[in-house]
Amino acid sequence: MYRHHLYSFLRFLFVITVVVFGSMALYYVSTVTYPFIIAFFIAFLINPLVDFLETKTKMPRWLAVIVTLIVLFAIVAGLVTLLIAEIVSGTQYLANVVPENFQKLITYMETLVAQQIIPLYNDLAVLFKNLDASQQDTIINNIQAVGTQIATTVGQFIQHVLQNIPLLLAWLPNAATVFIFSLLATFFISKDWYRLTGIAQKILPAKARKSGKTVFLDLKKALFGFIKAQATLISITTVIVLIGLLILRVNYAITIALIIGIVDILPYLGTGIVFVPWIIYAAVSGDVPFAIGLGVLYIVVLVQRQIMEPKVLSSSIGLDPLATLVALFVGFKLIGFLGLIIGPVTLVIIRTLHSANVFRDIWNFIIGKPTT
C-alpha cells in the first residue's frame, strides 16, 4: 500500500513536471515560430473554401490555394479601401463643420469664463484674503503639489509616447517580414494540408489520435462559433447605433455606425473610444440635448452588450451562460481586456479536454489504473 501511494505521488510529480516544462517550451517555441502559427490558423480557416474550389472546379490544389488567398486579400483590401474612403469623406465634412463648431465652442467658453469663472474667482479671492497666513500657505502648497503632479504625469506620458515612436518604426520592417513568411507558410501548409495531417496521424499513437481528433473538432466548432458570436454582437451594436444616430439626425450615420461597430471588438472600451469624447465635446460646445441623446445611446449599447454577450457566446460556443459570464469576468480581472477573449477560449479548451477524457486518462495514470 505504501509503495502504491509512493508511485502515485511520483507519477503526479511527473505529470506536473511535464505540464510545466511543456508549457514553458511551448511558450518559447511560439515566440520564434509565431508566423507559422498564424499561417496554420489561416490555412485552417480557408481550408473549406480550398476544398470546395478543388472539388467543384477541378482546380489543382495549389491553384485553389492561390485563388482563395487572392479572394481573401481582395475582400480585406476592399473593406480597407471602403473604410479609408469613408474616413476621407467624413474628414472633408468635418473640415467644413469643425471651424463653425469651434467658434461656437470659443464663444461658449468666453461666456462661461465671464459669467461663472470670474465671479467664482473673485469670491474665492475674498475668502482667501480672510484666511490667516498658515491657511493661505497650506492652500498654496497644495495647489503647487497638484500642479507638480499634473506636470509630472503629462511629462511622463509625452516621454513614453516619444520613446515608443522608434519602437514603432522598428516594428514596421518586422511586421512586413512576418507578413511575408506567414503568407508563404499559409500557401505551403494549405497546399499540403492532408499530407501533413496524414503524417501527424502516422506519428501519433491510436489513443492520442482519437483524443486529438475529439479536441480538434470541438475547438474547430468553438472557434467558428466564437467568430460567429463576435460578428453577431458587432452587428447588433452597429444596428442599434445606426438607429440611434438616425433618430438624432446625425450626418454620415452609416459610416459612424460602422466604425463604432468595428471598434466594438474591444468590449467595454470599444464604443467608449468614440462615444465619450463625442459626448464631452457636445456638452462643452453647448449642445446639451444632443449630448444627452448620445449618452442615452451609449448606455443602451453598453447594457445590450453586457446582456447579450454571455448569451450569444454560450449559444454559439455551446457553453453554459453562467460559466461563460464567470470566464469573462475572471479573464478580465486577471489579464484585462484581452482576458475577455482568453477567458471563454480557456473555458472551451478545458471543456474540450474533459469531453475527450484527457483529464480522466491523466488521473488513471496517476493512480495506476489502466486506461481503456
Side-chain angles (χ1 to χ4, degrees), residues 91-109:
T91 303
Q92 293 175 349
Y93 169 76
L94 291 175
N96 297 326
V97 173
V98 167
E100 180 182 353
N101 289 333
F102 188 70
Q103 184 61 43
K104 291 180 180 179
L105 177 62
I106 292 176
T107 304
Y108 175 78
M109 295 299 296

Side-chain angles (χ1 to χ4, degrees), residues 77-143:
L79 292 175
V80 172
T81 302
L82 178 62
L83 180 61
I84 292 175
E86 291 293 338
I87 291 175
V88 171
S89 178
T91 303
Q92 293 175 349
Y93 169 76
L94 291 175
N96 297 326
V97 173
V98 167
E100 180 182 353
N101 289 333
F102 188 70
Q103 184 61 43
K104 291 180 180 179
L105 177 62
I106 292 176
T107 304
Y108 175 78
M109 295 299 296
E110 290 175 349
T111 304
L112 178 65
V113 171
Q115 296 181 356
Q116 302 293 333
I117 304 299
I118 293 178
L120 179 62
Y121 172 77
N122 293 331
D123 294 338
L124 292 176
V126 172
L127 292 175
F128 182 77
K129 292 179 180 179
N130 293 331
L131 299 175
D132 56 45
S134 62
Q135 291 174 328
Q136 292 180 2
D137 292 339
T138 301
I139 293 175
I140 292 175
N141 292 333
N142 290 333
I143 293 174

